[in-house]
């Protein structure tokens, strides 16, 4: 694959020995708050503040009704008040997660010129592959991050020709992880559905079911940065997905916006971070919170994160508040739209025609 637009690889910049980042990576003054800084230092400073909740979802399978009820209540509270949580007891073998980390890291250990063979072509719409983000119209700034992006699941819709051919076990490991994550996703949907007072299977079915929920994986590579107080690995945003799953190489960097300030995620062993995204916020009629978040960088260590977006099919699923959650006291906060329409509204700031609520 080749790109017609030159996009500098952040890895190459970081390895060039520069002491100052190029001006196009320097964040706007409005973004440089008290919590924009070196991710490692910010994590240390966050010890005394609020912490992202941790939920053990093994409780869903307990024979004890009180344990099951507590698990549902904890999930509901996190989805409503935080929009993000650390999930433990998820059932995905630690050995498989380690293997996924290993194959992704080995790919990014390749020389940049080898990774360029997988380069995507964003202007033409070829977004799968190796890339670096183009300037965003909102800020005009670049992010201190390279990435590899591809559809992970379901298998019958993936294009293996786009996946890395090195290391040789990348495909096998990634396929297996996708299957395991799909099982975990059903558990999350079940807990959230029960929390809303709906049948266990209701929310996942409305989200698209097994056939229409796609898992898109983005491996983010954040090189060491000489001026982490001026840069962002990922600028502040909410995800368009139903759910987003994140794990990393134990280097901090994720910040979420909670109670009027940025909270740096701590490293919780054996956990997977789960975000609520826009699509699930719409289905819940705003009860669930699509969390605003961003990614910091640091001077000392390369950070790699694996982010998997559980998204509805772009056209086959209608996103609108579930009728069971709409009342006279709680009218619909969002107009109906397909996923493709929602993405267009968000990217181009198009106002909704069906509802007075502005597109997120």
């Amino acid at each position: 694959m080749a790109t017609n637009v030159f996009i500098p690889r952040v890895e190459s910049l970081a390895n060039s020995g520069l002491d100052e980042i190029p001006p196009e990576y320097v964040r706007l003054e409005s973004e440089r708050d008290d919590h924009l800084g070196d991710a490692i230092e910010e994590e240390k400073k966050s010890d005394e503040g609020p912490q992202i909740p941790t939920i053990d979802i093994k409780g869903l399978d307990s024979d004890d009704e009180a344990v099951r009820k507590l698990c549902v209540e904890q999930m509901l509270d996190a989805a409503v008040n935080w929009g993000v949580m650390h999930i433990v007891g998820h059932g995905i073998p630690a050995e498989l997660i380690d293997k996924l980390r290993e194959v992704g890291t080995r790919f990014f250990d390749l020389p940049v010129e080898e990774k360029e063979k997988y380069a995507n072509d964003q202007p033409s719409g070829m977004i799968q592959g190796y890339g670096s983000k183009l300037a965003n119209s909102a800020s005009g700034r670049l992010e201190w991050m390279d990435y590899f992006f591809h559809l992970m699941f379901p298998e019958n819709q993936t294009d293996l020709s786009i996946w890395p051919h090195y290391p040789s076990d990348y495909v096998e490991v990634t396929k297996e992880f996708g299957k395991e994550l799909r099982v975990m996703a059903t558990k999350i949907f079940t807990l959230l559905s029960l929390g809303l007072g709906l049948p266990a299977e209701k929310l996942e079915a409305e989200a698209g079911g097994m056939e229409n929920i796609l898992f898109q994986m983005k491996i983010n590579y954040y090189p060491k940065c000489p001026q982490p107080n001026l840069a962002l690995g990922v600028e502040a945003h909410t995800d368009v997905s139903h759910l987003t799953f994140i794990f990393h190489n134990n280097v901090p960097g994720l910040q979420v916006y909670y109670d009027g300030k940025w909270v740096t995620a701590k490293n919780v062993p054996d956990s997977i971070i789960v975000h609520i995204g826009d699509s699930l916020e719409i289905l819940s009629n705003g009860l669930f919170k699509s969390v605003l978040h961003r990614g910091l960088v640091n001077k000392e260590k390369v950070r790699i994160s694996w982010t998997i977006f559980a998204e509805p099919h772009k056209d086959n699923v209608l996103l609108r508040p579930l009728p069971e959650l709409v009342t006279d006291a709680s009218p619909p906060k969002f107009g109906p739209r397909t996923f493709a329409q929602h993405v267009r509204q968000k990217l181009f700031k198009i106002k909704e025609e069906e509802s007075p609520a502005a597109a997120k």
Side-chain angles (χ1 to χ4, degrees):
M1 289 180 250
T3 180
N4 297 321
V5 177
F6 174 72
I7 306 171
R9 301 308 177 200
V10 180
E11 180 183 359
S12 297
L13 287 174
N15 291 340
S16 68
L18 49 76
D19 295 320
E20 297 181 356
I21 61 176
E24 58 267 29
Y25 292 91
V26 176
R27 305 312 301 187
L28 301 175
E29 287 282 355
S30 59
E31 297 176 281
R32 293 187 232 162
D33 52 77
D34 292 342
H35 297 282
L36 176 61
D38 187 291
I40 294 174
E41 296 304 315
E42 288 298 321
E43 187 200 27
K44 293 175 183 175
K45 285 160 51 177
S46 70
D47 285 342
E48 302 304 319
Q51 303 293 324
I52 295 171
T54 298
I55 302 171
D56 187 345
I57 63 171
K58 287 199 309 291
L60 177 63
D61 301 317
S62 174
D63 294 330
D64 188 329
E65 183 180 354
V67 173
R68 294 196 304 272
K69 182 180 179 182
L70 178 61
C71 188
V72 170
E73 290 173 348
Q74 289 175 333
M75 179 66 71
L76 178 64
D77 182 72
V80 169
N81 293 308
W82 279 85
V84 62
M85 60 223 64
H86 293 281
I87 297 298
V88 297
H90 45 71
I92 301 179
E95 299 81 7
L96 180 58
I97 294 176
D98 287 343
K99 286 180 181 177
L100 192 69
R101 283 194 182 104
E102 179 188 352
V103 295
T105 301
R106 287 170 64 196
F107 171 78
F108 273 99
D109 283 344
L110 290 171
V112 170
E113 54 269 22
E114 286 296 313
K115 295 193 283 280
E116 288 290 359
K117 296 175 182 178
Y118 299 91
N120 61 17
D121 189 356
Q122 297 176 62
S124 73
M126 186 188 298
I127 60 174
Q128 295 194 79
Y130 174 62
S132 305
K133 191 172 180 182
L134 295 170
N136 184 291
S137 58
S139 70
R141 296 299 193 265
L142 295 173
E143 297 171 330
W144 195 260
M145 177 259 289
D146 302 322
Y147 65 83
F148 197 100
F149 178 76
H150 67 77
L151 178 66
M152 169 196 273
F153 187 90
E155 284 188 43
N156 63 358
Q157 298 187 48
T158 58
D159 182 356
L160 296 183
S161 69
I162 295 171
W163 295 25
H165 304 150
Y166 178 88
S168 60
D169 53 348
Y170 180 94
V171 171
E172 175 187 355
V173 169
T174 303
K175 278 185 176 182
E176 184 61 28
F177 182 82
K179 293 175 185 176
E180 292 281 350
L181 189 64
R182 190 64 187 82
V183 173
M184 173 186 156
T186 291
K187 294 179 181 180
I188 302 297
F189 278 117
T190 297
L191 285 164
L192 291 170
S193 195
L194 293 172
L196 292 171
L198 301 172
E201 68 282 356
K202 175 70 174 180
L203 196 55
E204 182 174 18
E206 292 288 343
M210 183 65 77
E211 305 79 15
N212 283 312
I213 297 180
L214 309 178
F215 281 28
Q216 310 269 14
M217 183 168 75
K218 188 164 176 261
I219 308 175
N220 295 326
Y221 182 90
Y222 306 92
K224 291 180 280 188
C225 179
Q227 294 178 297
N229 59 314
L230 297 179
L232 279 170
V234 179
E235 65 185 20
H237 67 287
T238 61
D239 292 339
V240 294
S241 59
H242 286 308
L243 296 168
T244 301
F245 305 94
I246 304 173
F247 62 99
H248 50 78
N249 63 339
N250 297 319
V251 177
L254 173 67
Q255 282 189 333
V256 301
Y257 200 67
Y258 173 76
D259 197 22
K261 71 174 186 177
W262 290 102
V263 175
T264 305
K266 305 292 287 185
N267 181 29
V268 176
D270 302 319
S271 72
I272 294 177
I273 296 171
V274 178
H275 286 180
I276 302 294
D278 295 351
S279 296
L280 208 52
E281 182 178 72
I282 293 168
L283 291 181
S284 72
N285 199 28
L287 290 171
F288 296 157
K289 180 180 180 180
S290 182
V291 64
L292 184 68
H293 58 285
R294 67 184 184 183
L296 302 187
V297 291
N298 74 87
K299 287 184 177 181
E300 300 174 28
K301 298 179 180 180
V302 169
R303 181 173 191 257
I304 306 177
S305 69
W306 286 256
T307 302
I308 300 95
F309 306 96
E311 299 178 350
H313 185 281
K314 65 177 183 176
D315 296 314
N316 291 359
V317 176
L318 186 65
L319 298 174
R320 86 282 189 255
L322 298 182
E324 296 92 331
L325 305 178
V326 175
T327 65
D328 290 340
S330 182
K333 295 181 173 66
F334 307 91
R337 84 288 300 271
T338 65
F339 184 65
Q341 288 170 335
H342 176 69
V343 172
R344 285 198 300 272
Q345 288 171 359
K346 188 165 184 174
L347 287 178
F348 301 109
K349 311 299 181 186
I350 300 171
K351 291 184 179 179
E352 298 180 40
E353 296 179 359
E354 305 89 347
S355 166
K360 285 180 55 135

